[in-house]
Amino acid sequence: MKLTNTYIFKLIFIISLCSSMLSGCINKRVESDANAIIEKKVDSLLALMTLDEKIGQMSQVRHFDDITEDEIATKFIGSVIHTQGPAPGKDAKGWQAKFTQLQKKALSTRLGIPLLFGVDAVHGQNTFEGATIFPHNIGLGATRDEELVEKVSKITALEAQATGFNWIFSPCVAIPYNEKWGRVYEAFSESTELTQKMGVAAVKGIQAELPDGRTVLATAKHFIGDGATDFGVEGGNTTISMQEVNTRLLPPYRDALKAGVGSIMVSFNTLSGMPMHANKTLITDTLKTAMGFDGIVISDWKGYSRFGKNEVINAGVDMIMAVDGDLDDFQEGLKQGIEKDSVSIDRINDAVKRILRQKFRLGLFKNPFPDSTLIKSIGSPEHRDIARQAVRESLVLLKNENKALPIDKKTKKIVVVGEHANNTGLQSGGWTVDWQGLTRNYSGATSILDGIKSIAEGEVVYDKDATGNYTDADIAIIVVGESPYAEFFGDIGDGSGTYKLTLSPEHQKYIKTYASKGIKTVVVLISGRPLVVTDQIKQSDAFVAAWLPGSEGDGIAQVLFGEYNFTGKLPHSWPRSVENFSRRFGPNFWDKSIKPLYEYGYGLSY
């Protein structure tokens, strides 16, 4: 038989396909065997445990205030969280030393079960000053770049490990229904489909292959309906139908589960009046049984005492953030519940098995201590290059007239206006070093003004509050926006609080002052959500939505001066007026007849 080129090609293709299928089968077999071994180890360990040891494994505490170091062992603690409060040490070496000390306490117990160390690393290892801080998720959603999000997440995992952690409470895969919600920036987009893609990329980056020594446990949060509460109230009531929950809110979780996410955090909100922490139908019947999730379901802050105590355990929550005085109440209350048969021992065993399973998958029984060689990676130039790329790709150009952008590097005189231009804390938003963020510059970060000065070849002057008499300026770059906030502190509510859907009168004045002088005006908006800035966009020659860029402010300057073009696209439709938000949800979700100022996906280039 004559072997034609076509025949040979087909033969090679078939051989390649068979080889690929065989490799896939082998990999699945190896994975199946590894899981079987882990399950045997989990069952053997569980059989040796006392009730006190099991309840201890279900307890997560802070490394300060909640416990003494010895109580790590005497109360058989399963996990430690670092959050707002005293730092574990003065530098990364000190952080590792503290967590090593606590781990040794856990390993000194009869069964030697290692601790999980968790942290809210939501845009980099943001609890450690000097780490690489990336744009918040709303900015990453604007990039549409899944490969970049995976890189960002890998770096976050690495720098978290370098400071002693093996568990990250990220990504947030909420779908925000209303910009009044104080956590809009923690989510990727109002689009379910985009959130699915970005959530999977984040999980892959954070977890990769769990025991490989360069990865940590990821957490999809907050389950479920956190971004869809009425009027955007943090922890409020979500009154949407179960059909809408299934079609809009569950898909990112389904995809995260397929990607292997190791834990799920339950939400503060109620769903049709029932606290999500006590919602057995969704936690156990839907998430664990129907969707097949075999990882850890963890409560949010003080979830036990706030949402029904043992009802929370019966609903399917496996680990409790027993903080702010909750530890004894939780451990004693759960033990009494078991003794009185209001909580079954099977439910306890299920919870502990899930916790032990992830500890084995992470390889903590073999390698329980942090790796000191990773410390040098924190805030490295390579990591900051990726963060700078993320900043550039996140920027969305909403308007560009009169050839305002790109700015010529040889422009004779540029005036930069606004406190946000010269303050890396303000440009980074909440969850940056402190829970509520910073209003000061922090270590390792570069301000927007620094970036402008490093590129511009002419004179650059800084006019913090638009009171300077710079009528001879060729162009004004005005940086305005929100002050940092996190969680319910950022809720807008009835408009009487600190945060509003509009710019402050002072920031509106910055723009009006320079626009009225006839100076070409470029506005850069720093915000955790789309704001109603219709009038300010009209006043400006160019307007850029920069979200919360993080530590690399010079990424903004690189795009303004044309070293890179704008590629970002809106992850949210942009509101036209405050009146658009007078009902339960934002205009994109309750009234299709209202035309937004800019549609979802809008974004200009030069």
Coordinates of all heavy atoms in Angstrom, one line a residue, residues 35-109:
N35 N -5.8 10.1 45.8 CA -7.0 10.4 46.6 C -7.4 9.3 47.5 O -7.8 9.5 48.6 CB -8.2 10.8 45.7 CG -8.0 12.2 45.1 OD1 -7.3 13.0 45.6 ND2 -8.6 12.4 43.9
A36 N -7.3 8.0 47.0 CA -7.7 6.9 47.8 C -6.8 6.7 49.0 O -7.2 6.4 50.1 CB -7.7 5.6 46.9
I37 N -5.5 7.0 48.7 CA -4.5 6.9 49.8 C -4.8 8.0 50.9 O -4.8 7.7 52.1 CB -3.1 7.1 49.3 CG1 -2.7 5.9 48.4 CG2 -2.1 7.3 50.4 CD1 -1.4 6.1 47.6
I38 N -5.1 9.2 50.4 CA -5.5 10.2 51.3 C -6.7 9.9 52.2 O -6.8 10.1 53.4 CB -5.7 11.6 50.6 CG1 -4.3 12.1 50.2 CG2 -6.4 12.6 51.5 CD1 -4.4 13.4 49.3
E39 N -7.7 9.3 51.5 CA -9.0 9.0 52.2 C -8.7 7.9 53.3 O -9.3 8.0 54.4 CB -10.0 8.5 51.2 CG -10.6 9.5 50.3 CD -11.1 10.7 51.0 OE1 -12.0 10.5 51.9 OE2 -10.7 11.9 50.8
K40 N -7.8 7.0 53.0 CA -7.4 6.0 54.0 C -6.7 6.6 55.2 O -7.0 6.3 56.4 CB -6.5 4.9 53.4 CG -7.2 3.9 52.5 CD -6.3 2.9 51.9 CE -7.0 1.9 51.0 NZ -6.1 0.9 50.4
K41 N -5.9 7.6 54.9 CA -5.2 8.3 56.0 C -6.1 9.1 56.8 O -6.0 9.1 58.1 CB -4.1 9.2 55.4 CG -2.9 8.5 54.8 CD -1.9 9.5 54.2 CE -0.7 8.8 53.7 NZ 0.3 9.7 53.1
V42 N -7.1 9.8 56.1 CA -8.1 10.6 56.9 C -8.9 9.7 57.8 O -9.1 10.0 58.9 CB -9.0 11.3 55.8 CG1 -10.2 11.9 56.6 CG2 -8.2 12.4 55.1
D43 N -9.4 8.6 57.2 CA -10.2 7.6 58.0 C -9.5 7.1 59.2 O -10.0 7.0 60.3 CB -10.7 6.5 57.2 CG -11.8 7.0 56.2 OD1 -12.4 8.0 56.4 OD2 -12.0 6.3 55.1
S44 N -8.2 6.7 59.0 CA -7.4 6.2 60.1 C -7.2 7.2 61.2 O -7.3 6.9 62.4 CB -6.0 5.7 59.5 OG -6.2 4.7 58.6
L45 N -6.9 8.4 60.8 CA -6.7 9.5 61.8 C -7.9 9.8 62.5 O -7.9 10.0 63.7 CB -6.1 10.7 61.1 CG -5.6 11.9 62.0 CD1 -4.6 11.4 63.0 CD2 -5.0 13.0 61.1
L46 N -9.0 9.9 61.8 CA -10.3 10.2 62.4 C -10.7 9.2 63.5 O -11.2 9.6 64.5 CB -11.4 10.3 61.3 CG -12.8 10.8 61.8 CD1 -12.8 12.3 62.1 CD2 -13.8 10.5 60.7
A47 N -10.4 8.0 63.2 CA -10.7 6.9 64.1 C -10.0 7.0 65.5 O -10.5 6.5 66.5 CB -10.4 5.5 63.5
L48 N -8.9 7.7 65.5 CA -8.1 7.9 66.7 C -8.5 9.1 67.5 O -8.0 9.3 68.6 CB -6.6 8.0 66.3 CG -5.9 6.8 65.6 CD1 -4.5 7.2 65.1 CD2 -5.9 5.6 66.5
M49 N -9.3 10.0 66.9 CA -9.6 11.3 67.5 C -10.7 11.2 68.6 O -11.7 10.6 68.4 CB -9.9 12.3 66.4 CG -8.8 12.6 65.5 SD -9.3 13.7 64.1 CE -9.4 15.2 65.0
T50 N -10.4 12.0 69.6 CA -11.5 12.2 70.6 C -12.4 13.3 70.2 O -12.1 14.0 69.2 CB -10.9 12.7 72.0 OG1 -10.3 14.0 71.8 CG2 -9.8 11.7 72.5
L51 N -13.5 13.5 70.8 CA -14.5 14.5 70.5 C -13.9 15.9 70.6 O -14.0 16.8 69.8 CB -15.8 14.4 71.3 CG -16.8 15.5 71.0 CD1 -17.3 15.4 69.6 CD2 -18.0 15.3 72.0
D52 N -13.1 16.1 71.7 CA -12.4 17.4 71.9 C -11.5 17.7 70.7 O -11.4 18.9 70.3 CB -11.7 17.4 73.2 CG -12.6 17.5 74.4 OD1 -13.8 18.0 74.2 OD2 -12.2 17.2 75.5
E53 N -10.8 16.7 70.3 CA -9.8 16.9 69.2 C -10.6 17.2 67.9 O -10.1 18.0 67.1 CB -8.9 15.6 69.0 CG -7.9 15.5 70.1 CD -7.2 14.1 70.1 OE1 -7.8 13.2 69.7 OE2 -6.1 14.0 70.6
K54 N -11.7 16.6 67.7 CA -12.5 16.9 66.5 C -13.0 18.3 66.5 O -12.9 19.0 65.5 CB -13.6 15.9 66.3 CG -13.2 14.5 66.1 CD -14.4 13.5 66.1 CE -14.0 12.1 65.8 NZ -15.1 11.1 65.8
I55 N -13.6 18.7 67.6 CA -14.1 20.1 67.7 C -13.0 21.1 67.6 O -13.1 22.2 67.0 CB -14.8 20.3 69.1 CG1 -16.1 19.4 69.1 CG2 -15.2 21.7 69.3 CD1 -16.8 19.4 70.4
G56 N -11.8 20.8 68.1 CA -10.6 21.6 67.9 C -10.3 21.9 66.5 O -10.0 23.0 66.1
Q57 N -10.3 20.8 65.7 CA -10.0 20.9 64.3 C -11.0 21.8 63.5 O -10.7 22.5 62.6 CB -10.0 19.5 63.6 CG -8.8 18.7 63.8 CD -7.5 19.4 63.4 OE1 -7.4 19.7 62.2 NE2 -6.6 19.7 64.3
M58 N -12.2 21.9 64.1 CA -13.2 22.8 63.4 C -13.1 24.3 63.9 O -13.9 25.1 63.5 CB -14.6 22.3 63.8 CG -14.9 20.9 63.3 SD -16.4 20.1 63.9 CE -17.7 21.2 63.2
S59 N -12.1 24.6 64.7 CA -11.9 25.9 65.3 C -10.8 26.7 64.6 O -9.7 26.2 64.4 CB -11.6 25.8 66.8 OG -12.5 25.0 67.5
Q60 N -11.2 27.9 64.1 CA -10.2 28.8 63.6 C -10.1 30.1 64.5 O -11.2 30.7 64.8 CB -10.5 29.3 62.2 CG -9.5 30.2 61.6 CD -9.8 30.6 60.1 OE1 -10.7 31.4 59.9 NE2 -9.1 30.0 59.2
V61 N -8.9 30.5 64.9 CA -8.7 31.6 65.8 C -7.7 32.5 65.3 O -6.9 32.1 64.4 CB -8.4 31.1 67.2 CG1 -9.4 30.3 67.8 CG2 -7.0 30.3 67.2
R62 N -7.6 33.8 65.8 CA -6.5 34.7 65.5 C -5.3 34.2 66.3 O -5.4 33.6 67.3 CB -6.9 36.1 65.8 CG -8.0 36.7 65.0 CD -8.5 38.0 65.5 NE -9.0 38.0 66.8 CZ -9.6 39.0 67.4 NH1 -9.6 40.2 66.8 NH2 -10.1 38.9 68.6
H63 N -4.1 34.7 65.8 CA -2.9 34.3 66.6 C -2.7 35.3 67.7 O -1.8 35.2 68.5 CB -1.7 34.4 65.6 CG -1.5 35.7 65.0 ND1 -0.8 36.8 65.6 CD2 -1.9 36.2 63.8 CE1 -0.8 37.8 64.7 NE2 -1.5 37.5 63.7
F64 N -3.6 36.2 67.9 CA -3.6 37.1 69.1 C -5.0 37.2 69.7 O -6.0 36.9 69.0 CB -3.1 38.5 68.6 CG -4.0 39.1 67.5 CD1 -5.1 39.9 67.8 CD2 -3.7 38.9 66.2 CE1 -5.9 40.4 66.8 CE2 -4.5 39.4 65.2 CZ -5.6 40.2 65.5
D65 N -5.1 37.6 70.9 CA -6.3 37.8 71.7 C -7.2 36.6 71.9 O -7.6 36.4 73.0 CB -7.2 38.9 71.0 CG -6.6 40.3 71.1 OD1 -5.6 40.4 71.9 OD2 -7.0 41.2 70.4
D66 N -7.5 35.8 70.9 CA -8.4 34.7 71.0 C -7.8 33.5 71.9 O -8.6 32.8 72.5 CB -8.8 34.1 69.7 CG -9.5 35.2 68.8 OD1 -10.2 36.0 69.4 OD2 -9.3 35.1 67.6
I67 N -6.5 33.4 71.9 CA -5.9 32.2 72.5 C -4.5 32.6 73.1 O -4.0 33.7 72.7 CB -5.6 31.1 71.5 CG1 -4.8 31.6 70.3 CG2 -6.9 30.4 71.1 CD1 -4.2 30.5 69.5
T68 N -4.0 31.8 74.0 CA -2.6 31.8 74.3 C -1.9 30.8 73.4 O -2.6 29.9 72.8 CB -2.4 31.4 75.8 OG1 -2.8 30.1 76.0 CG2 -3.2 32.3 76.7
E69 N -0.6 30.9 73.3 CA 0.1 29.9 72.4 C -0.1 28.5 72.9 O -0.3 27.6 72.1 CB 1.6 30.3 72.4 CG 1.9 31.5 71.5 CD 3.4 31.6 71.2 OE1 4.1 30.7 71.5 OE2 3.7 32.6 70.6
D70 N -0.1 28.3 74.2 CA -0.3 26.9 74.7 C -1.7 26.3 74.3 O -1.9 25.1 74.2 CB -0.1 26.9 76.2 CG 1.4 27.0 76.6 OD1 2.2 26.8 75.7 OD2 1.6 27.4 77.8
E71 N -2.7 27.2 74.2 CA -4.0 26.7 73.9 C -4.2 26.2 72.5 O -5.1 25.5 72.1 CB -5.0 27.9 74.1 CG -5.3 28.1 75.6 CD -6.3 29.3 75.8 OE1 -6.1 30.3 75.1 OE2 -7.1 29.2 76.8
I72 N -3.2 26.5 71.6 CA -3.1 25.8 70.3 C -3.1 24.3 70.5 O -3.8 23.6 69.8 CB -1.9 26.3 69.5 CG1 -2.0 27.7 69.1 CG2 -1.7 25.3 68.3 CD1 -2.9 28.0 67.9
A73 N -2.4 23.9 71.5 CA -2.3 22.5 71.8 C -3.4 22.0 72.7 O -4.1 21.0 72.4 CB -1.0 22.1 72.4
T74 N -3.7 22.7 73.8 CA -4.7 22.2 74.7 C -6.1 22.3 74.2 O -7.0 21.5 74.7 CB -4.6 23.0 76.1 OG1 -4.9 24.4 75.8 CG2 -3.2 22.9 76.7
K75 N -6.4 23.1 73.2 CA -7.7 23.2 72.6 C -7.7 22.6 71.2 O -8.7 22.8 70.5 CB -8.2 24.7 72.7 CG -8.4 25.2 74.1 CD -9.1 26.5 74.1 CE -9.4 26.9 75.6 NZ -10.1 28.2 75.7
F76 N -6.6 22.0 70.8 CA -6.5 21.2 69.6 C -6.9 22.1 68.4 O -7.6 21.6 67.5 CB -7.4 20.0 69.7 CG -7.1 19.1 70.9 CD1 -8.0 19.1 72.0 CD2 -5.9 18.4 71.0 CE1 -7.8 18.3 73.1 CE2 -5.7 17.7 72.2 CZ -6.6 17.6 73.2
I77 N -6.5 23.3 68.3 CA -6.9 24.3 67.3 C -6.5 23.7 65.9 O -5.4 23.2 65.7 CB -6.3 25.6 67.5 CG1 -6.8 26.2 68.9 CG2 -6.6 26.6 66.4 CD1 -8.2 26.4 69.0
G78 N -7.5 23.9 64.9 CA -7.2 23.4 63.6 C -6.7 24.5 62.6 O -6.0 24.1 61.6
S79 N -6.9 25.8 62.9 CA -6.5 26.8 62.0 C -6.3 28.1 62.7 O -7.0 28.4 63.7 CB -7.6 27.0 60.9 OG -7.3 28.0 60.0
V80 N -5.4 28.9 62.1 CA -5.1 30.2 62.7 C -5.3 31.2 61.5 O -4.9 31.0 60.4 CB -3.7 30.3 63.2 CG1 -3.3 31.8 63.5 CG2 -3.6 29.5 64.5
I81 N -6.0 32.4 61.8 CA -6.2 33.4 60.8 C -5.4 34.7 61.3 O -5.3 35.0 62.4 CB -7.7 33.8 60.7 CG1 -7.9 34.9 59.6 CG2 -8.3 34.1 62.0 CD1 -9.4 35.2 59.4
H82 N -4.8 35.4 60.3 CA -4.2 36.7 60.5 C -5.1 37.7 59.9 O -5.5 37.6 58.7 CB -2.8 36.8 60.0 CG -2.3 38.2 60.0 ND1 -2.1 38.9 61.2 CD2 -2.0 39.1 59.1 CE1 -1.7 40.1 61.0 NE2 -1.6 40.3 59.7
T83 N -5.5 38.7 60.6 CA -6.4 39.8 60.1 C -6.0 41.1 60.9 O -4.9 41.2 61.5 CB -7.8 39.4 60.3 OG1 -8.7 40.4 59.7 CG2 -8.2 39.2 61.8
Q84 N -6.9 42.0 60.8 CA -6.6 43.3 61.4 C -6.2 43.1 62.9 O -6.9 42.5 63.7 CB -7.9 44.2 61.4 CG -7.7 45.6 61.9 CD -6.8 46.5 61.0 OE1 -6.6 46.2 59.9 NE2 -6.3 47.5 61.5
G85 N -5.1 43.7 63.3 CA -4.5 43.6 64.6 C -3.0 43.5 64.6 O -2.4 43.8 63.6
P86 N -2.4 43.1 65.7 CA -1.0 43.0 65.8 C -0.4 42.1 64.7 O -0.9 41.1 64.4 CB -0.7 42.4 67.2 CG -2.0 42.7 67.9 CD -3.1 42.6 67.0
A87 N 0.7 42.6 64.1 CA 1.4 41.8 63.1 C 2.1 40.6 63.8 O 2.6 40.8 64.9 CB 2.4 42.7 62.3
P88 N 2.3 39.5 63.1 CA 3.0 38.4 63.7 C 4.5 38.6 64.0 O 5.1 38.0 64.8 CB 2.9 37.3 62.6 CG 1.7 37.7 61.8 CD 1.7 39.2 61.8
G89 N 5.0 39.6 63.2 CA 6.4 40.0 63.4 C 6.8 41.3 62.7 O 5.9 41.8 62.1
K90 N 8.0 41.7 62.9 CA 8.4 43.0 62.3 C 8.7 42.9 60.8 O 8.8 43.9 60.1 CB 9.5 43.6 63.1 CG 10.8 42.9 63.0 CD 11.9 43.6 63.8 CE 13.2 42.9 63.7 NZ 14.3 43.6 64.4
D91 N 9.0 41.7 60.3 CA 9.3 41.5 58.9 C 8.9 40.1 58.6 O 8.3 39.3 59.4 CB 10.8 41.7 58.7 CG 11.7 40.8 59.6 OD1 11.2 39.8 60.1 OD2 12.9 41.2 59.7
A92 N 9.1 39.7 57.3 CA 8.6 38.4 56.8 C 9.3 37.2 57.6 O 8.6 36.2 57.9 CB 8.9 38.2 55.4
K93 N 10.5 37.4 58.0 CA 11.2 36.4 58.8 C 10.5 36.2 60.1 O 10.3 35.1 60.6 CB 12.7 36.8 59.0 CG 13.5 35.7 59.7 CD 15.0 36.2 59.8 CE 15.8 35.1 60.5 NZ 17.3 35.5 60.6
G94 N 10.1 37.4 60.7 CA 9.4 37.3 62.0 C 8.0 36.7 61.9 O 7.6 36.0 62.8
W95 N 7.3 37.0 60.7 CA 6.0 36.3 60.5 C 6.2 34.8 60.4 O 5.4 34.1 61.1 CB 5.4 36.9 59.2 CG 4.9 38.2 59.3 CD1 5.5 39.3 59.9 CD2 3.6 38.7 58.8 NE1 4.7 40.4 59.7 CE2 3.5 40.1 59.0 CE3 2.6 38.1 58.1 CZ2 2.4 40.9 58.7 CZ3 1.5 38.9 57.7 CH2 1.4 40.2 58.0
Q96 N 7.2 34.4 59.6 CA 7.4 32.9 59.5 C 7.7 32.3 60.9 O 7.3 31.2 61.2 CB 8.5 32.6 58.5 CG 8.1 32.8 57.1 CD 9.1 32.1 56.1 OE1 10.0 31.4 56.6 NE2 8.9 32.3 54.8
A97 N 8.6 33.0 61.7 CA 9.0 32.5 63.0 C 7.8 32.3 63.9 O 7.7 31.3 64.6 CB 10.0 33.4 63.6
K98 N 6.9 33.3 63.9 CA 5.7 33.2 64.7 C 4.8 32.0 64.3 O 4.4 31.2 65.2 CB 4.9 34.5 64.6 CG 3.5 34.5 65.3 CD 3.7 34.5 66.8 CE 2.3 34.7 67.5 NZ 2.5 34.8 69.0
F99 N 4.6 31.8 63.0 CA 3.7 30.7 62.6 C 4.4 29.4 62.7 O 3.7 28.4 63.0 CB 3.3 31.0 61.1 CG 2.4 32.2 60.9 CD1 2.5 33.0 59.8 CD2 1.5 32.5 61.9 CE1 1.7 34.1 59.6 CE2 0.7 33.7 61.8 CZ 0.8 34.4 60.6
T100 N 5.7 29.4 62.7 CA 6.5 28.1 62.9 C 6.3 27.8 64.4 O 6.1 26.6 64.7 CB 8.0 28.3 62.6 OG1 8.1 28.5 61.2 CG2 8.8 27.1 63.0
Q101 N 6.4 28.7 65.3 CA 6.2 28.5 66.7 C 4.8 27.9 67.0 O 4.7 27.0 67.8 CB 6.4 29.8 67.4 CG 6.6 29.7 68.9 CD 6.9 31.1 69.5 OE1 7.3 32.0 68.9 NE2 6.7 31.2 70.8
L102 N 3.8 28.5 66.4 CA 2.4 28.0 66.6 C 2.3 26.6 66.0 O 1.6 25.7 66.6 CB 1.4 29.0 66.0 CG 1.3 30.4 66.6 CD1 0.3 31.2 65.9 CD2 1.0 30.3 68.1
Q103 N 2.9 26.4 64.8 CA 2.8 25.1 64.2 C 3.4 24.0 65.1 O 2.9 22.9 65.2 CB 3.5 25.1 62.8 CG 3.2 23.9 62.0 CD 1.8 23.7 61.5 OE1 0.9 23.3 62.3 NE2 1.6 24.1 60.2
K104 N 4.5 24.3 65.7 CA 5.2 23.4 66.6 C 4.3 23.0 67.8 O 4.3 21.9 68.3 CB 6.5 24.0 67.1 CG 7.6 24.0 66.1 CD 8.9 24.5 66.6 CE 10.0 24.5 65.5 NZ 11.3 25.1 66.0
K105 N 3.5 24.0 68.3 CA 2.6 23.7 69.4 C 1.5 22.7 68.9 O 1.2 21.7 69.6 CB 1.8 25.0 69.8 CG 2.7 26.0 70.5 CD 3.1 25.5 71.9 CE 3.9 26.6 72.6 NZ 4.3 26.2 74.0
A106 N 1.0 22.9 67.7 CA 0.0 21.9 67.1 C 0.6 20.5 67.0 O 0.0 19.5 67.3 CB -0.5 22.4 65.8
L107 N 1.9 20.5 66.5 CA 2.5 19.2 66.2 C 2.9 18.5 67.5 O 3.2 17.3 67.5 CB 3.8 19.4 65.3 CG 3.5 20.0 63.9 CD1 4.8 20.2 63.2 CD2 2.6 19.0 63.1
S108 N 2.9 19.2 68.6 CA 3.3 18.6 69.9 C 2.2 17.8 70.5 O 2.4 17.1 71.5 CB 3.8 19.7 70.9 OG 2.6 20.5 71.3
T109 N 1.0 17.9 69.9 CA -0.2 17.2 70.5 C -0.1 15.7 70.2 O 0.8 15.3 69.4 CB -1.5 17.7 69.9 OG1 -1.4 17.6 68.5 CG2 -1.7 19.2 70.3

